[in-house]
Structures are given as C-alpha cells and as structure tokens.
Amino acid sequence: MKRSKNRRHKEDRNGDEPAILETENLDNNGMFHGGPDPDTISLASVTAVTTNVSNKRSKPDIKMEPSSGRPVDYQVSVTVIEARQLVGLNMDPMVCVEIGEDKKYTSMKESTNCPYYNEYFVFDFHVPPDVMFDKILKVSVIHSKNLLRSGTLVGTFKLDVGTIYSQPEHQFYHKWALLSDPDDITAGGKGYVKCDVAVVAKGDTIKTPHKANESDEDDIEGNLLLPEGVPAERQWARYYLKIYRAEGLPRMNTSIMANVKKAFIGENKDLVDPYVQVQFAGQKGKTSVQKSCYEPIWNEQIVFTEMFPPLCRRMKIQLRDSDKVNDVAIGTHFLDLRNISNDGDKGFLPTLGPAWVNMYGSTRTYTLLDEYQELNDGLGEGVSFRARLLISLGVELLDTSSPEISCSTEVQVEGVPNISESATGKVDEFFLFGSFLEATMIDRKIGDKPINFEVTIGYYGNEIDGALQPKTKGERGKDKGDEEETELIHNSSEEEMDDDGDLTSVATTPPMKPVITDRNYFHLPYFERKPCIYIKSWWQDQKRRLYNSNIIDNIADKLEDGLNDVHEIIKTEKAYPERRLRGVLEELSQGCSQFLTLANKDQNQSGRTKLDKERLKLCLSEVEAIGVQAKAMRSQVKKSTVRDKLKLSQNFLSKLRFLADEPQHSVPDVFIWMISNGKRIAYARIPSKDILYSSIDEEKGKDCGKVKTIFLRIPGKKGFGPAGWTVQSKIEIYLWLGLNRQRRDYLSGLPNGFEENKLSKGPGLPSTPPISLTYMMKQIFQLRVHMYQARSLFAADSTGLSDPFARVFFSTQSQVTEVLAETLCPTWDQLLVFENVELFGEAAELRDDPPIIVLEIYDQDTVGKADFMGRTFAKPVVKMADEHYGPPRFPPQLEYYQIYRGNCAAGEMLAAFELLQIGPNGKADLPPIDGPTDMDRGPILPVPLGIRPVLSKYRIEVLFWGLRDLKRVNLAQVDRPRVDIECAGKGVQSALIPNFKKNPNFSTLVKWFEVDLPENELLHPPLNIRVVDCRAFGRYTLVGSNAVSSLRKFIYRGQDKQANSWSTTEEIIVVSMEQEPAFKKMETVVKLDSCSEAVVKVEDDDKDDKGKKKKRKKVEEPEEEELDESMLDWWSKYFASIETLTEALKSQEAALSDSEDKEDMDLADGGDIKPDDGPVKGNRKGKAKKDKKKAGFDAFGRKKPKLDELKVYPKELESDFDNFEDWLHTFYLFRGKAGDDDDQTVTDEDRIVGKFKGSLCMYKVSDDTPRDMSFDSNMGMFQNIPNNDPVNVLVRIYVVRATDLHPADINGKADPYIAIRLGKTEIKDKENYISKQLNPLFGKSFDVEATFPMDSTLTVSIYDWDLVGTDDLIGETKIDLENRFYSKHRATCGVTNKYSIHGYNVWRDPMKPTQILAKLCKDGKLDGPHYGPGGRVKVENRVFMAPTEIEDENGLKKKTDEHLALCVLTHWEEIPRVGCKLVPEHVETRPLLHPDKPGIEQGRIELWVDMFPKEMTAPGPALDISPRKPKKFELRVIIWNTDEVVLEDDDIFTGEKSSDIFVRGWLKGQQEDKQDTDVHYHSITGEGNFNWRFVYPFDYLMAEEKIVISKKESMFAWDETEYKIPPRLNLQVWDADHFSADDFLGAIELDLNRFPRGAKTAKQCSIEMVTNEGEMPMVSIFKQKRIKGWWPFVARNEEDEFELTGKVEAELHLLTGEEAEKSPAGEGRNEPEPLEKPNRPDVALLWFLIPLKAAKHLVCDEYRWLTIKIVTALLLLAILGLFL
C-alpha cells in the first residue's frame, strides 16, 4: 500500500469527530496493525449484537463515556536546527517558538544570515485533544532583540498542532519552514528555518527517523515543512466569513441588576447582547454587538488573510453574550476546512453556505453559575440546542503582484447586504413523533420522585422556552419572524384547530413514580401503556443533504458489519473468511452504484449552495471510485490475502465516513432529557439525520421508525470517569422525523398490536397524533441466561484482584450470579432463569427482534457499595412455542462478549442466552434443564450439558525459576514467597523460597498438574499466577497476581512434520568475507530433489574487482580512498554502521512506496532490514537493489572504504529477539486497583509489584510424547535448561551517547551525566558531566560485578548535574540482564562480523569462535563441527566455507579455523532444530522514561552490555570508545585582491562612485574571532589589493565533520559549553565609513568540506558558483590542503534575489596543529613569513581632486598624533587666554 494512502487514512481518523468506528477500534485493534499472532488478539466479540439485527430495532451503542473533552497529557518538542536565506543585511537573528501563550527563544547569533542553533524546546500540556489540536505553533525569526529592545520581526510560520499530530509518526523531521511577513503579504519568502516538530500524547511512541545525510536536507524546496499533498508554493488568500443573523438564542438573564430594573421600571427587554467572535490561524475577529436582542441581525463579514492551503484546519465560530463584567459564550461551532474543500484534481476551494449552523452547549435553563459552561466553549458534547447562526464562507486567492492589494494581514470587519429569505431553502413543517416503550435501569441515586422525559428539537419542545413563547398562531408568527407567518397561513388547513387552545406539540411524558428493580436501579411501570410525544417544528427543507449522507452512512454501516464478521471469522478460526469478504465487497460495490442513481435527485431545490453542488460531485466521484475498486478487489481476495484486503477495506470505510459528514446543517439534533422532580438529570443526543424519514429505504435514517435502546448519560464534566459509567437510565424509544405531509405511516415501525389514545376533541375533527399507546397483545417468555465465565476483568480491589459477580437485566427484571472471591477470571458456570417475562407486540416480530439483555459486572465489597467493573449487551436466541428445540439454532453456542468500562475494553464474557416462549400448555413444553449430574451446588443451577463446553484432560507443566523485584506489601518486606498456579479449579504450588533476599530462585524447577479443559482452544480459561508471602503463624499475604489470558502459545504440539522434510539436504554455504553486510547479492543454486546437496553461493560485488583492477584503470573509475588503519577506531565503525542503518531504512521506505501491491514483499515484522539477514535457505533468491549510494560512494564520487560494521538497532534489543523469552518467560505481578484512567495501559506500570520468571507447557495427556534417550523425567518438557544456582558475572556497560534529552534547566539545556545501578552497586559518574548538552556523547564503559539472580535488573539513568540542590533525573531505562544471560540467542557478548586479533575490530569475547561453536553444538546435541580441508566446516548437514588465514599485528599470516567457526555463528539460524539468530555485535537505542511522566519518552540512550561469567577466563580490557578528541588545525586565508566590488560612496565634488573596501572573515561559531583586512581607500573600479593573511586556529572532528568550540555561554556561566558546528568560512566585503556605520556589500559562505572550486581568473568567476552549487566541481580543504582562486560575493537585492556584489581572490591553506607550530605565519602582513605590501594607487596624486578625502586621510591616518597634539596645545592656549 502506498505511503500516501496511509497518511490520508490517518488524517481522516484524527479529526475532531471522535475516531470513526469506535467498537471496531477496540475490538480488532490487533487485526489492523499488521495482525499479530492469535494470542495477542482478544477473542471477544460483539457478534451477538452486531448480527441478527432485523428491521424493527436498531443497534445499541456499547460505549458509554463521552470521549472528547477529557484532558490528556501532551508533549510538543521542537528542535530548531538552523536558518537559511534570512532576508536582511548583517542581522543578529534569534528564533522564537510559541505555542498558545508559551514562548521560548533560542540564543542570538551575531551578524549572519544563516545561523546554526541546534536547540531543543519542550512544551508540556494537559488539555483535552480538541483544545490541543487547535493550538497554533508559531516559529518566528526576530532580528537583534536584547533586554532593552524587542527586536524586529523578520518573518513567521504557523501551523496548528493537529496538523502535526496527523502526520505519520506525529512529527515533521528535519523540515524547512518557510517564513513570511504577516505585515507585508506581497513580499514573498523571508527565509527558512529548519526544525523538527513532534507531538506526543500519553502512550504514543515516537520513532526518531533515521538521520538523513546533510546533502539531502540542503535541498530546501524538497523538504519544506508542509503536510503531504500541500503545494510548496502557497499563495495568500482572503477568507470571507459572512455572518448574517442568529435565532433561537436561549433566555439569558445575565445581570442581576437587569431583574431589579425590570421589577422597578417594568421594562421587559431581551436580556442578551450577542456578538460573534471568530478565531482562525491564531487571529481573532468580532462582529458588532447587537444590544438586547434574541434574534440579532448583523450582516457583517469578517475577513482573514492567511496562506492557502492553510495549515490550521479549524475555524472556531463562537456566539457570545457581551457583558460589562465578563463575556460568556452562548455556543461554539467549529468549521473544519477539510470538510468544506477538496484538494483533488477536480477539487474546490473552501466554501460554505449561506447555511444555518446549529450550536449546542449547556442546557437552555438559565442559572447564574452555569455548571456546564465549558460545553458552550466547544469542549465536550453539547447537551442541548443553544442557537443557530446563518453564515457563509468564501475564499479568494490573492494575486499579490497587483498594486491595489493591502499588504497587512490584520482581520477586517465589513458590512454585507442582507440575504434573501429563500437563500437557505424553503421553510417547511417537520413532524417528530416518539414513543417510550420502556424506561428501566434508572439509577437509584436519583431518588424516587416522579420522573418524566422531555424531547426537544432545536428550540421547539423546550419547557422553558415553551413557557415564554405563547403558542397561539399570531404571536408565534411575531416571535419567529415573518417567514413562518406566511407559511402558517398557507398551511392553515390543519392548524385552524389549534386556535381553540389545543397544543401543537406534546414534548414531555407525564411524570411517573419509579418502581424498584433491584438494589441499584429503578424502572418506570409503563407495562402496556406507552407514553408518546410529538412536536411540530419549522425548518428550511434541506433533506437532500441528509439523505445523501444517510445513503453513504448506510453503505458504511453495512461495510462495517461485514468487516466485523470477517474479523470474527478469522478470530474464531472459522472456515472461509475470504468468501464472506468477497460478499462484503460485492455488497459495497452494489451500494456504491445505488448511491450514484439516488444522489442526483432534487437538483433544483431552493437553497442549494455552491458547497452542495461541489460536495455532490466529490461524493459521486469518490463513491464511484470506491465501488470500482471494491469490485476489482473482490476478485483478488484469496485465503492468503484476506488480511491485507481487510486493511484496504478498512480504508474504504474511513473514507465513506468522512464523506458522510455533512458540514452544512439543516434540522437540529434531537435531545432527550430525563427530568426528576423538575431537575434535569441525564440526556441523550440523537442526530436528526438518523431518524429522518424517506420513502426510499436507502435514504432513510438508520433509526427512523425503529425501536432504539438508548442509555442516557450525565452531562458535561461530571460524565467523565466512574460517574459516567453507571447507566443513568436505559430507554427503549421509537422515533420518527419527517415532513408533516409525509406523516401517513409514522407509526408503522412500532411493534404491532396497540391502540392509539388521543387527546379528546370534538367529533369529526381531524386526527391528532396519539399521546399514548395501549398494547393489547402480550407474550410470556422464559429467559435462560447461561453465564459460563469471564476473563481479564478489571482489578477493583487494592489486592489487584476483584470479587466479581454479574447482574443481568432483561425488561424490568434483574438477577445476580454468585460472588466469586479474589479473581479476575471467574468461572460462574451458572444458569439464571427469568420466569414470566412479559413482552408486548406480535410473537413473530419478537422472534426476529427480541429486546437486548444488559449484563453488568460488579466487584463485591464487604463495606459500601459494589464497584462497577464493566458492561456488555447481548441478544437472546428466541424459540417460539411452536418451534422445535434442536439444531441448528438450539442449544445456543457459548460466545465471547466484549466488556466495556467507559470507553475501554475491560475483559470479556463467555455466555449464551435463550428466550423461550411459554405456550398455551405453560412451562411443560419448555425443554428440560439437564445439568451435569456430578455436582451439587444447592440452589445454583450449573450451565446445562448441551451448552457447556466438551472437556478433555490436559497436563500443565510449570517451570518455576524465580521471583524478582518484589516490592513491599503493607510496608513489610517480602521474605518467604511462594507461587500458586491455578487453572480451572486445579493447580500447583511452587516450593517456598526460604530467604528472598539471599536467593530469589526456586529450589524445585518443574511441577505439573492435570486439569480438564475445553476441547476448543478458544474457550480455554485463563491461568492464574499468584504470589503469596508466608508470614509467621501460618498467615499468608497476597503479594501480586497475573492472569495469563491465553495459553495458546504454551501448548506443546509435537515436532512439526514439515520441519524434518528439509533437514536431510546438505547445504554448502559459501561466504566470502569481504561482503557488504546490508545489501547482499545472492545467487542461489538449487537442486530440487529433497536429499541432494544444495549449494548456496553468497557472492559479493567487490570480489572480482581485484582481478580486473589493472585492466579497468583506463576507464575513469572512482579512486578508492586509502584506509589508514591507525586512523580507524571504534567510532569509524559506529558511524559507518549508522549510515548503513539509515540507508537500510531509506531503502525499506522506498521499497514500501514502490510496491503498491505488497504481496510479494514480506515485511511483516515491520522492522529493519537486518544487515546480515540475507535469507540463505536453499530455495530463495535474495533480491538486492543497488544504486550509486548503496554501492558506497561518498559525496565526491569516490569509493568509500570498506569498514567492518556493527548492527545499530533503532530500538531496544529485546524487540528484535522477542524479549529474550525463548524459554524463560517473565510474568508481571499486579497489585492494587487498576486506574480509572482512560488508557489503562499507563497506570498498569504503577501496579506492577514484581516479576515471576518461569514458563508453562500444556499438552493433552493422551499424547504419546516422544522421549529422547537422554530425557530427564523430572524436567518434563523442559529439557536442557541450565540450573538456577547463583552465578557471578562481570557486567560491562558501554554507553555511547544520548539523544534528544528532555531539557532540565531553565535555559532549555541540561548537564547530563550517567548513573548506573545494579543490585547494591551504584555508580554515579558525576564529575564527568557534559555541560549544556541535550545530545551528549559519553563514550564510556563501566564494569560492575553482579550475582544473578539477586541483581538481575540493570538501570541506566541520565541525571542533570546542578551546582546547587539535588540533581534531577532526566530519564532512565531498565534492562533485564538475566533473560539475556540465559537466552539461546546468546546475548552475553555480540558476535562480530569478522574475526581479527588486533586493531579497531578486535575480538572481545574471552571465548574464541571455535570454542563458542563447540559449546553450542554440544548443548544442542549436534553433530560437529567438523573442520575440513579447503576452508570448509560441517555442522549437522550444513557445510560452510570461509577463508582460513589471519594476519597478526606484524602482518604475518597464520592458519586458523576461527573465520569458519564465526561464519557458522553468523548463520546459526539456519542450523536445523536448534538454530536461532545469535545476537550480533551491536549498539541498541533505548528510550529514557521518567516515572512521573509515564509513557512519554524523555530522550534516548545508545548503549550495549557485555556479560562474562566469572568461572570462565577473564575478558580482556574494555574497548576504548571514549569520544574522539578534536584535532587541532589552523586555516590560513590570504586575501590577495578583490574585483568588481559595488561602489557605494558618491564623491561630494566630482559625483564619482567609489568604495573604501575591506574584507572581513571568520569561521562560523567563532564570530568573536573575526578578522578584518586593512582598508583599500577610494577604489573607483571595485578593485582592491590587500595581500593580507587571516589565521584561524580551530579544533575539528574529522569523522563527524564538525568544528568543536568550547566557550562560556554568558558571564555567569559556571563552565564552558561544547558546541559542534559545521566548518564554514564566512567572508564579507564592506565599505568603510568613518563617521557612520560601515556598509555591508556582500558575502560568501564556504563549507570547508564541500565548496565550489575557485575560478582561475576574475572573469571566469560568476554568481553561478553560489546559486547553482549542484553543477559546480566541489572540493574539500581537508583533502586539498591548499587552494587558490576567485570566489563571488553576493547579497540580496530588493526583490530578494541574489546579485553579484564583488569577487575576491583568496588562498586557503589548511595545516594541522603540528605543522602550524613548525612553520608559523603572522596575521595581516606581519612576521613571520610577511606578505609584501600591496601596490595601491597613491592617494597623494588625487588630493586636489578630492581635497576633503585626502585631508581626512592625512589628518586622521598619517599624522593623527601630530594633529591631536597641536589641537590640544591650541585648546590649552585658548583656556589660558580666557582665564588669565
């Protein structure tokens, strides 16, 4: 799948609307993200609810809690790397980064247009996602700001945080932000700032992308900081938001004074002064305030000027009430520009309306302190209608070159003409009907006062407004404006009757006292009499919009259900998922073609806006495309590709959901409120389109004319967290909304068998809607609920366990299972029977469509109320009295149901439900309940035989290894722990650990028990691990527990037959040792019969070069760089490896975007292309692409030397080796309540109280398990496991560097140092802290002695050194050394690619490769190794080849088998039976975490760990990886001449142009060391002669190509800070002025590593050398040492383009520190090695031409002292003369 598609899909998901497809996300998360193995997939399902939904009932929504509005932790990190091409002369720039109110500044760089900063800033927020994503990130460059002056703004760049978050990996990496001047939009770009921006929410992991090499990033245009698909050249545009008027504002009595005034004067004015405020892209605009007006008319437009496309996605439109004290928001609406524009080929600019938008917020009741005020600000879901606003939006792109455009981007407000009434469509009368069929599960806390329900649509039906709006026709007309009045007169046929005081609407049900259901809930006793409501309302008739969006939604719903089914089939491993998927795609393409025929109707309807037309075009084309793709895809679905195609179908789904979201509202949403004793308690909001009627089924809302189960919830903030999880009330309601004239069959969807009760009227009057229904038909049923078990429940007690029981609700009855103590996986095995359940309606309808059953799980507490642990729904299988009880429907199957707690999955429940009709013969006809005979549980009925799973005998073996890191329990230390294992009621206990401190391992390793488990593996109960501490007097305390929810990965399934089929072939693997590890080219020779010898040649490109070298020399071939062995060190190897990693990642990315059809590419492990991973099986051809870069050429086209490399892992080593759990597994022990937080993953970390190490193995007992001869019966299946006695180990930790540390000091930096903790040893490397660095290079190794198992967790932390006070922890990482030590992957010491006994690549392990190989073969009982002649070695049936000679330090060659052995080790995963990948020599990158900020990375650390057991030979000294010391260099620059320098000065007398030229130079970063030549006065031709030498000593790191500067940051700094900056020489040419500031003329910056070769003569020197660098021949001063030539000086002119301002002839000479000492040279023209004076035209001859200049020259330069003396003498004389 192409990358871009992915991105699209991502962006759609993170919009403002909560992620689409909520149930899916939870359910099938595992599936969509690369489908892990079945163990990680929760086997729960909502099948029973999703399927069998018939036409009378609609699907309930399982999620209870509002997901928006809850605050979350965010961290925004910004790295400002450098700026380029800043516009302005000789500036001192600094960069300011601001997000919302927070501002942070970089340091100031002096006199440069391309400053290099590399500074890192972090902003932390704790706000709701909507607020976060609307914040604007602004990067601006400010010129010469200091304490006294605010500086001048050069340019800014802004985008909103949401745009960053919707990027892949939530970040922009190394991108250039284009600055523009907000005050002058005609000006064009003001420069570029290169930065990294990342947004992390709690729980996101950020992948730092590979560092691309510098030259790629210098392509500024190609790396602009813009989302995918946004053009690089953005234009300025005007956004015109017209605001016409508003209506339906709620009654506001804001000031108390107003009431007082009213009482005294009797003045009854509208008490609201509304205005509209609009925020967009960080700017605000306001309309005027309309005083005292409920129906304000503004007719104003607010004009924003901003780039297009904007990087800010939402426009916030807020209706506010102006008040002297503080203005309050009445309602807020967000316009998402992505919904009202389209960037495709046939796209359109943002456009909207004129259309009404509805605003929702807090309740319409006015209270002085509105507790739901934040809802009006747009946070969280509005709980009632607030007002509607008539607006329209247009965008006009500006042609900035035209003169009449105003330059500024200030927001303007202008008047606009009034709009015609019909512009938004014809007003029509709508009719809403609802009937409450059931109201149950009313929370007991509400109290038993009478309860009623109120339904409102917009401002109709609201009690409060109702009281204030007299409903008689005349007054209503006045109240609503004239449009309705004329309407009413036209429609007066039915309305005539309303004048006699009859209500046109009944919006509330009559109050009723609730009846107790059980200890938590009430219900309302409706029984056969169901109250109804109906409301007439008048809205613009824009049904077509809603119809189109309904058709798309219907297609999407079908698709979603179908995809759910496919997942279900895959998950429960049923047959033929591909058939179902084909059906789904078929249905999708049919649905799409149907949309095309339906959507085009009603084209000429009034009120159609431009957006309607454009959206229709867009929807038609997109839906058509989806239909076509679905059809094409259908034929490609095969068993092997089901998962990939599922992912693609998922994309269709999110695209359809995006299209269905209609930005132009019409009919407002319907709200249902439950009111108890006049107080509003809970609400539900139903989108009006869902219940909108149409005669065409596809257009009808999904809940129109159906019975829907709705759970009411608490409004506002109170609804977050546990309070919002209890159901306030569950109602079954039937709703119908349509035009009044369509209302013939509005009752047709109700369950049949009722009579209507109407308000009585005189005889012969037309019918009104019923106010209640009486059901004559009722059916009696028995409900059987088979509760088998639940698993992975929420931990509700402080022990980390729960005492769960389940409560089942059906209709008005409820029952409870028994309470099972202390478990998260209760097996209730209980049948609950509900007798005499009365359901109203026809029998046949009930069969297809029974009401739903609600199950709630609680935790029993000895004191206080039971805690809520989760809820799920189910539909029963129904049997009518006349049906046979038998297959296929009966007895019902047990199914898993996903349990939700708020929005989080909280376990799953295994149960079955059947609803049996009681016929005329009573209960005698019901099928009997036959439980298993062998158990007697008193009154509790077990689940009957046909339904309970079939069991068979399994044996479970447990390997008890040890316990680790146990925390204290109730302040007491754990001293004598024991582990209890339990599964399905049986279990086993470990041996007791007598003294946990001394040895935390178990003495007995393996125990087993037998247990009866279901045949169906999906139904296996979880296995519980509990650790108890044995205290005195036989007391036990629970330390912690873990439930292993899926045992599948521990099931032992004999040797696979396939594994043996290829183990007989003998393979020869030829490995030539000069291979390039990351990109092997393989030729594979395969003979196909099974027992032949397969010969595998692993070839390499460079191998045959040596033979052909001589012949090829004539053809120009890149010369190979000579490798100086003495120069190479460990860092050379490290940097080479980083480059390989970068390239591998890049090629992987390229490959991903290349292969649209990814079927042939198997990158399923989502990981890296592993360097040594060429698949060398006898049957695969390795493909290797090579391009110039891969083949290893450096920037100069020379061949790169071949270095030995190591493997750099961009993440933890564990992630590539499956946590080293190849035989020893770690089970975390939990204790304490699970967090009430949204994402429980995070809080789980605080609940971990220790680890149990061990393993499990289960198998059916009947198996005749094959026994080896050497089988140790005590160890069961766990053969060949080392013993667990304590081991002494030398642990050597190498810390290479840390990157992107979180700043710890006020200055935005940190002073990091390393701290290491292992067992009781603690090393703090405090004195070697690195000053003010966020990317410190440590290069240190530490040796620690440890004893496993006591000291098994190594903690490496980075602290921030502080002069005073304690040092702060920046972050730490924990490594489990024990698993590594015992792993078969041999993680003790990485295996290098090459064996050498000296030099930078020396072998580190005390065991040589031959010894390691011998030991591995012995442990694995393999045949071998047999070393043969001719460099062959044979292990089992594999033959490897490699060189057999080695050179020692003196260059002598010796025979050795080490290369052969090493070759086998690097290919160990190919050895049959015991082979696995051995850990290579590596550096791993681990995230640093801080306990206070869980889940948010605080930086990363690169390190590796070697372990050497003490009983073996001692290892050699540690590798020296100390950071390279920079080498001293001296750069001597001789400025010989200049030419064609622009002439600045005008001569006073002659008017002649001239310049007084001098040249200034410095090395970047060392501005204070800038040096100037002398001045060449009065150059008329722009020629200047200098012969002047600049001398710049500097320290340089060859490998990193950076200059190292150490300097104090400020006067007050405690120590010097080290900076690394690229070596760039700046030369500038100036015009000297004596009495004013010197004028800057031009400059050039040469990167000493690659700069254009100087021209031979001044003529050949052109501006091309700067503007067109790519084409020029490049040189490096470090290679050339000495170079002379002409270079151009350039500056920017008014149009912002480069122009040539002069040329300089210079000579650059680079010497090393020693050479410079041997042959010193003076600065300027001084000794030693003085340069001769330049031959300049004599000033004396010109002095009669320019008396002033010459005189100035003579007086001020030549005879300065003389002049001063004379002047002073004269002054003295004057003074004496005056005073004497």
Side-chain angles (χ1 to χ4, degrees), residues 1541 1543 1552-1555 1576-1583 1742:
V1541 175
L1543 306 175
E1552 190 180 29
K1553 288 254 188 207
S1554 68
S1555 274
H1576 181 126
Y1577 284 104
H1578 197 76
S1579 165
I1580 309 169
T1581 58
E1583 189 182 336
L1742 301 170

Side-chain angles (χ1 to χ4, degrees), residues 785-905:
V785 177
H786 306 283
M787 300 286 288
Y788 193 64
Q789 68 183 32
R791 63 181 185 195
S792 316
L793 294 181
F794 177 80
D797 289 347
S798 54
T799 52
L801 298 170
S802 300
D803 309 318
F805 66 92
R807 190 173 263 143
V808 184
F809 298 91
F810 187 67
S811 182
T812 58
Q813 301 190 27
S814 88
Q815 289 198 32
V816 184
T817 63
E818 61 179 331
V819 177
L820 296 183
E822 301 223 326
T823 171
L824 296 181
C825 315
T827 302
W828 286 293
D829 188 6
Q830 187 171 356
L831 163 62
L832 302 175
V833 181
F834 289 70
E835 300 287 2
N836 302 336
V837 179
E838 298 184 353
L839 296 178
F840 298 95
E842 275 182 356
E845 282 180 357
L846 287 166
R847 177 187 183 279
D848 298 335
D849 221 353
I852 64 166
I853 299 169
V854 179
L855 294 97
E856 295 196 326
I857 297 187
Y858 288 90
D859 164 56
Q860 175 72 45
D861 280 342
T862 40
V863 286
K865 204 167 126 289
D867 298 337
F868 172 73
M869 285 166 57
R871 155 182 323 112
T872 185
F873 307 142
K875 280 246 163 128
V877 190
V878 185
K879 170 188 165 310
M880 304 318 287
D882 49 7
E883 286 182 292
H884 166 62
Y885 187 84
R889 293 177 62 218
F890 298 96
Q893 291 285 303
L894 287 175
E895 294 206 46
Y896 271 113
Y897 295 88
Q898 180 80 51
I899 298 170
Y900 285 100
R901 185 167 180 272
N903 283 342
C904 312

